[in-house]
Amino acid sequence: MNLESNSAHNINLLTLNCWGLKYIAKYRAQRLKEIGRSIALSRPQPEIVGLQECWTQEDYLAIRAQTRHILPHGKFYHSGIFGGGLAILSKWRIIESSMVRYPLNGRPTAFFRGDWFVGKGVACASIRIGPRREDVIEVFCTHLHAPYESGSNDSYVCHRTAQAWEIAKLIRGAAERRHLAIGLGDFNMVPLSLPYRLITAHAPVEDAWRVIHPDSSLGAAGEPSEKARGLAIPNAKYNLTENGATCDSALNTWRWNKQQRKQLAMGEDVSCDDSSPDPRAKRLDYIFFSNGTQTAPSQWRVQAVKVGMTNRHPVLKCSLSDHFSVEATLSRHHLLRPDPSSPTAATDESSIPASSNNKHTPFQSINNNSSLNPTLYTSYNPSPTSSLLPLPFARTPSPPTAAAAAAAPSIASSNSALPPETYHEILNMISTYETRELRQRRFRLTHFLISIVVSIICFIGIWWSNHAGISFMLVFISTIGLAAGLLDGLIGGFFINSELRALKEFEWEIRNAQEMAEKDSARERPRKERWGTGRKNSDGEKVRDSGDTPAVRVERELWEKVRGSREYGGNDNVPLDMRRMENGMI
């Protein structure tokens, strides 16, 4: 029995923020029903769908009714007081599911924003797409905390960064199990921001959009990161096709001004030219994927990616949501073991994946095309006539422009381990936020104590007062003051303490990761000092560095052979001296 023929070779993914806030979102029921119909009519036909802000069971069932014939399996996730708003639909059976809530998730005092009350987290689903062990996809659908504020005033950036860390750990665990890991949803972050770098480096994952569009924007045209690139303000069409803008697009009717929306509500046919400037549009919705360890028998690549769900409601003429969808197709390709006798199995350092030197990140970053041996990949097709593919992607991403490289030098290394400086940045952010919360706790507990004193004084005044009106006012002041003080006491004594404990956990994990990164860096340093860097000149010949004696060159070449055999699943029983060389001890 051919197990390969029973496994899926291509997977079509879709993620959408539905904007289904009950009592707040306009035309909610009509729009979400039409969203379900649009999913069913999408081409290529989606096989795994992640939904955010689908808050009610009623809306979820309305979408399921429209999509059940193509997506027979689904799960609506319950969380928090009002629900997490997350759902996953699948062509294949969901064999395991869980809802992981974020330890840091907004504040109850911001009740008008609701993030804390809905219990945001990660909807996790394991989906079997074939009979083999590796034929399992682990899907992680999430909706990170919204910014609400901008720049240095964003007091929620610490929560969003902690949430990015949590989902990165979940994706990393799935990758270590040699499963295809997919993270999708509304991440409320722009490319190359701190949460973005945290996810792509620590998981590590590939951003499906940047694989195909490496020069896409880093945010809205007015943001500093995008201004630094020195590019003209893009039009609405370019933002959709090249920049992957899913939010605040000029083509989305929910971002129009009041006059335009009023005309639309009155039944007028209002349109927007896609060639008009679109300075506010940005990409907040993502599809990330990770192939797992380098020993995985097959690898997944991005075949295509696009922004979808740009159509309007056929009757209401409004956009289906305040976000557009992201749709991607992944294709599986078989990873071949190199033949030791073949010239392609050479142990030259250029043929060894760069990430093999990084013990902190044991996964191969397939974005780094230059470090991959192109002959290791063939089209994953059970047919014996499978043709060799020259590169690890169906479409080769072009190198970033000079402007993009100048504005964001970390583009090329966004999938490598985080440098120690980034961990310092996160720790400073945690320290700043912790100081803020300690100040808030002190203020709220002080208010609680003052309210008790005021209440006691009011009751004493009532005891001595002979005037009914005065007694009533004292009772009123005492009741309202004590209630407000008690609420602040509960927030300061319970919620903020809980938040500070979650911060301590987050801080410990970041410090631990920082120590590991620094040890890895220190381990590489003496090895390079002893063996030389192994640089090559323009003719491809190795340059002899200072201290690069013949004995050292032999030692380095021997190590390269050992490292190559271990990277591609060779014999792990290497001599003790070789293991000591690996650890930088000799």
Side-chain angles (χ1 to χ4, degrees):
M1 178 179 178
N2 189 351
L3 297 181
E4 293 182 357
S5 61
N6 295 329
S7 303
H9 306 145
N10 296 285
I11 298 175
N12 300 320
L13 308 168
L14 184 149
T15 179
L16 174 67
N17 182 323
C18 300
W19 192 44
L21 292 168
K22 194 172 184 178
Y23 307 122
I24 298 177
K26 201 171 183 181
Y27 308 132
R28 175 184 56 82
Q30 299 96 314
R31 288 189 299 100
L32 268 73
K33 184 177 180 180
E34 183 62 25
I35 284 174
R37 194 177 79 90
S38 296
I39 291 174
L41 296 176
S42 293
R43 293 294 179 271
Q45 201 170 80
E47 294 165 318
I48 295 178
V49 174
L51 301 176
Q52 305 86 48
E53 290 201 27
C54 180
W55 298 107
T56 70
Q57 189 87 8
E58 175 189 357
D59 292 336
Y60 168 73
L61 293 176
I63 294 176
R64 290 281 285 132
Q66 298 285 337
T67 60
R68 195 179 295 274
H69 62 290
I70 63 167
L71 301 167
H73 308 283
K75 176 73 171 67
F76 179 79
Y77 290 81
H78 302 272
S79 178
I81 299 173
F82 301 117
L86 302 176
I88 294 177
L89 310 178
S90 173
K91 172 183 176 180
W92 301 280
R93 179 172 295 280
I94 298 175
I95 59 176
E96 194 173 298
S97 173
S98 63
M99 179 71 192
V100 179
R101 291 182 61 175
Y102 289 127
L104 290 170
N105 183 34
R107 298 184 285 269
T109 50
F111 59 89
F112 48 91
R113 289 170 177 158
D115 291 79
W116 184 82
F117 296 92
V118 301
K120 283 188 174 180
V122 186
C124 312
S126 296
I127 300 172
R128 177 162 289 284
I129 62 172
R132 300 175 303 176
R133 177 183 176 184
E134 64 269 17
D135 290 338
V136 174
I137 301 175
E138 296 196 39
V139 181
F140 303 94
C141 179
T142 191
H143 185 188
L144 299 192
H145 200 294
Y148 298 119
E149 300 147 339
S150 60
S152 59
N153 296 320
D154 187 0
S155 61
Y156 293 103
V157 65
C158 187
H159 285 221
R160 199 159 50 256
T161 304
Q163 291 172 355
W165 178 263
E166 291 298 322
I167 192 171
K169 290 192 298 181
L170 292 171
I171 295 175
R172 187 184 184 92
E176 288 175 343
R177 291 188 288 273
R178 299 174 59 185
H179 294 160
L180 169 63
I182 296 173
L184 43 76
D186 179 0
F187 286 79
N188 276 314
M189 63 186 183
V190 294
L192 303 187
S193 61
L194 179 58
Y196 179 96
R197 285 180 281 132
L198 202 58
I199 292 174
T200 52
H202 189 69
V205 292
E206 303 290 331
D207 176 359
W209 190 269
R210 287 192 72 84
V211 167
I212 302 296
H213 303 280
D215 278 336
S216 57
S217 65
L218 306 180
E223 294 182 5
S225 59
E226 192 62 19
K227 281 184 175 180
R229 303 174 76 191
L231 303 177
I233 296 177
N235 59 38
K237 182 178 180 180
Y238 188 87
N239 271 337
L240 287 184
T241 58
E242 296 297 325
N243 290 334
T246 58
C247 184
D248 293 336
S249 170
L251 300 177
N252 194 303
T253 64
W254 299 109
R255 300 307 183 190
W256 289 358
N257 58 46
K258 289 184 178 180
Q259 180 62 30
Q260 289 176 308
R261 282 183 285 172
K262 185 177 180 180
Q263 291 176 332
L264 199 65
M266 294 173 63
E268 297 182 26
D269 188 12
V270 184
S271 60
C272 178
D273 186 4
D274 61 8
S275 62
S276 59
D278 192 10
R280 295 191 304 158
K282 53 183 173 289
R283 186 161 67 102
L284 300 182
D285 304 84
Y286 298 82
I287 293 178
F288 295 111
F289 72 100
S290 176
N291 276 298
T293 62
Q294 190 63 27
T295 58
S298 60
Q299 299 285 302
W300 293 85
R301 313 176 206 164
V302 183
Q303 191 74 22
V305 63
K306 68 174 183 177
V307 172
M309 294 284 189
T310 58
N311 55 300
R312 298 196 203 172
H313 193 282
V315 177
L316 302 173
K317 303 301 181 183
C318 64
S319 296
L320 300 183
S321 173
D322 60 350
H323 284 236
F324 294 142
S325 68
V326 180
E327 303 172 22
T329 299
L330 303 183
S331 61
R332 176 152 50 178
H333 296 78
H334 195 54
L335 180 63
L336 298 179
R337 304 295 182 193
D339 182 0
S341 62
S342 170
T344 62
T347 57
D348 184 82
E349 197 168 50
S350 62
S351 68
I352 298 174
S355 63
S356 63
N357 290 337
N358 190 338
K359 303 304 176 186
H360 180 53
T361 306
F363 310 113
Q364 170 63 33
S365 171
I366 61 175
N367 230 2
N368 188 2
N369 296 342
S370 63
S371 65
L372 288 174
N373 188 338
T375 62
L376 298 180
Y377 292 88
T378 62
S379 175
Y380 189 83
N381 190 335
S383 168
T385 59
S386 299
S387 60
L388 290 174
L389 295 181
L391 286 173
F393 296 114
R395 172 179 170 182
T396 306
S398 57
T401 61
S410 60
I411 290 179
S413 61
S414 62
N415 278 9
S416 60
L418 286 171
E421 295 76 18
T422 304
Y423 293 111
H424 283 299
E425 181 183 353
I426 299 173
L427 290 172
N428 289 336
M429 177 190 62
I430 293 173
S431 177
T432 301
Y433 186 75
E434 185 178 22
T435 302
R436 177 194 184 278
E437 291 305 282
L438 287 171
R439 187 169 57 249
Q440 284 285 317
R441 183 177 66 175
R442 185 165 55 250
F443 165 76
R444 294 182 185 280
L445 292 179
T446 300
H447 177 213
F448 171 60
L449 294 175
I450 291 174
S451 69
I452 292 177
V453 173
V454 170
S455 181
I456 292 173
I457 292 173
C458 287
F459 278 114
I460 293 174
I462 294 169
W463 177 266
W464 292 101
S465 175
N466 295 323
H467 196 285
I470 295 177
S471 297
F472 173 78
M473 287 301 298
L474 290 174
V475 169
F476 181 78
I477 293 172
S478 174
T479 304
I480 297 300
L482 186 60
L486 181 62
L487 184 60
D488 262 350
L490 291 172
I491 292 173
F494 291 94
F495 165 72
I496 295 183
N497 275 345
S498 173
E499 186 182 34
L500 290 173
R501 288 185 175 88
L503 275 174
K504 289 294 183 185
E505 288 296 317
F506 181 37
E507 181 183 12
W508 184 92
E509 292 180 16
I510 293 297
R511 289 193 184 279
N512 187 56
Q514 180 188 32
E515 290 176 6
M516 293 173 64
E518 289 173 347
K519 286 180 180 178
D520 291 339
S521 178
R523 187 182 299 126
E524 291 298 321
R525 201 176 300 119
R527 188 183 304 162
K528 289 180 180 178
E529 290 173 357
R530 177 167 175 79
W531 298 343
T533 60
R535 294 181 294 107
K536 295 182 179 180
N537 59 21
S538 58
D539 297 326
E541 299 175 346
K542 288 193 175 181
V543 178
R544 179 173 177 175
D545 300 315
S546 59
D548 194 7
T549 63
V552 169
R553 288 200 298 273
V554 171
E555 190 177 40
R556 182 173 61 241
E557 290 170 1
L558 181 59
W559 161 243
E560 288 172 353
K561 292 179 181 179
V562 172
R563 185 176 61 182
S565 66
R566 301 184 75 183
E567 176 67 29
Y568 295 109
N571 188 0
D572 227 16
N573 297 320
V574 296
L576 176 61
D577 284 348
M578 295 299 99
R579 292 199 297 272
R580 292 172 62 200
M581 287 168 60
E582 178 182 3
N583 294 324
M585 298 169 65
I586 62 172

